[in-house]
Amino acid sequence: MQFPESWIHGLAGGLLIGLGSIIALAVTGKVPGISGIVARLLKPSPGDIAWRGLFLVGLLAGAAITVTCYEPAKLFSIPVGRTLPVYAIAGLLVGFGTRLGGGCTSGHGVCGIGAGARDSIIATITFMAAGMLTVLMWKMIS
Amino acid sequence: MRTLLLLLSGALFGTGLAISGMINPQRVIGFLDVSGAWDPSLAFVMGGALSVFALGLILLKKRGRGFFNCKLPDLSPDPISKRLVVGSALFGVGWGLGGLCPGPALANLSLLRPAAITFTASMLVGMLLVQRLCKVD
């Protein structure tokens, strides 16, 4: 059986995301969820800034280099109707919601579930269900 | 050495995001669109990532310490709270609207894509707001 290329890319990318996450945890002793890494830079405490900055610099550079050098990573398209004001609202909800809920796809979805934490499983089910409902409603009204 | 490892871990994460296709909003929406031609790629990304993370965590726990003798984090679950559920639901709505979550937004920011610039700027505002209003960090 032939698997679609997007599944293989997904799995390969996922393995690298997991590897990056566990190395960051081993080096810092912190749970490296992206929303937390960013949010705590906005509310910095001494001795806790450098690792967050370094990780994010690595993330931005890694993504930019990969997209430049690897053809399949160039794929980027925004589904119709999702204008910049929609992105402004989306970003606000994501910033607010991830911090209120204590994590995003990486903090809860990867690290939390990877650690077998029940709260992270509930959070992940909740944001996936809310995301699916939102997409469904978007399709109904547009 | 510590600096290099931190840069490397971020770079692995960013490379993984780019390879996985998750920096493409269309792909993410395709996963969330259960009533259309469902695209399961995101499940492979999460499955792959959390397996490596879980395996690494088991090894680290056996070792008892992280690298450079650092203490391992407390990964015991918090109680299920209203905040957890409401926050995650709000996040999910934003995720479904734009097809971006924080990691992919930053990855796209490195390519100066307008949707990602807009999204990230208002994400930071959302984070500052919740820090002020709800006393979270």
Side-chain angles (χ1 to χ4, degrees):
Chain A
M1 184 183 155
Q2 185 73 42
F3 288 108
E5 203 162 76
S6 66
W7 297 9
I8 300 178
H9 282 148
L11 188 63
L15 296 174
L16 293 176
I17 291 171
L19 189 63
S21 301
I22 197 68
I23 293 176
L25 180 144
V27 174
T28 62
K30 303 270 167 60
V31 181
I34 305 296
S35 70
I37 292 181
V38 175
R40 289 186 186 115
L41 277 178
L42 297 172
K43 206 179 171 183
S45 61
D48 192 50
I49 302 165
W51 78 267
R52 297 171 194 277
L54 286 168
F55 183 88
L56 291 179
V57 168
L59 190 159
L60 266 76
I65 293 168
T66 308
V67 171
T68 310
C69 303
Y70 186 58
E71 205 56 39
K74 287 189 170 59
L75 285 176
F76 181 86
S77 59
I78 291 169
V80 272
R82 288 164 157 93
T83 53
L84 286 183
V86 173
Y87 273 92
I89 297 165
L92 204 61
L93 287 166
V94 170
F96 197 97
T98 50
R99 294 328 299 149
L100 191 64
C104 59
T105 339
S106 61
H108 278 314
V110 175
C111 304
I113 296 186
R118 206 169 70 99
D119 61 334
S120 291
I121 297 172
I122 303 274
T124 305
I125 291 171
T126 306
F127 63 67
M128 283 198 171
M132 286 170 177
L133 263 174
T134 305
V135 170
L136 191 66
M137 286 177 63
W138 179 277
K139 277 173 83 175
M140 283 163 68
I141 55 171
S142 61
Chain B
M1 189 61 196
R2 196 171 175 273
T3 304
L4 270 178
L5 273 174
L6 282 165
L7 282 170
L8 174 75
S9 62
L12 285 169
F13 199 105
T15 302
L17 279 174
I19 288 180
S20 72
M22 291 305 117
I23 62 171
N24 184 0
Q26 181 87 55
R27 270 248 110 82
V28 176
I29 306 268
F31 172 81
L32 296 174
D33 185 6
V34 281
S35 73
W38 190 57
D39 177 356
S41 318
L42 190 145
F44 285 89
V45 182
M46 266 189 72
L50 71 88
S51 330
V52 172
F53 186 86
L55 185 72
L57 198 58
I58 292 170
L59 296 175
L60 282 173
K61 277 183 177 163
K62 260 194 192 146
R63 193 169 180 260
R65 290 248 137 192
F67 302 160
F68 314 110
N69 209 27
C70 94
K71 215 172 144 245
L72 293 177
D74 173 20
L75 283 156
S76 55
D78 293 324
I80 312 300
S81 63
K82 208 186 277 176
R83 284 186 166 203
L84 178 88
V85 176
V86 173
S88 298
L90 290 174
F91 162 40
V93 173
W95 195 32
L97 281 178
L100 286 177
C101 54
L106 294 174
N108 281 311
L109 191 66
S110 74
L111 302 152
L112 300 176
R113 288 172 167 152
I117 297 173
T118 310
F119 181 95
T120 308
S122 60
M123 177 175 87
L124 296 178
V125 173
M127 287 173 169
L128 285 167
L129 261 177
V130 78
Q131 285 174 349
R132 296 280 147 80
L133 298 176
C134 305
K135 308 241 179 315
V136 295
D137 48 40

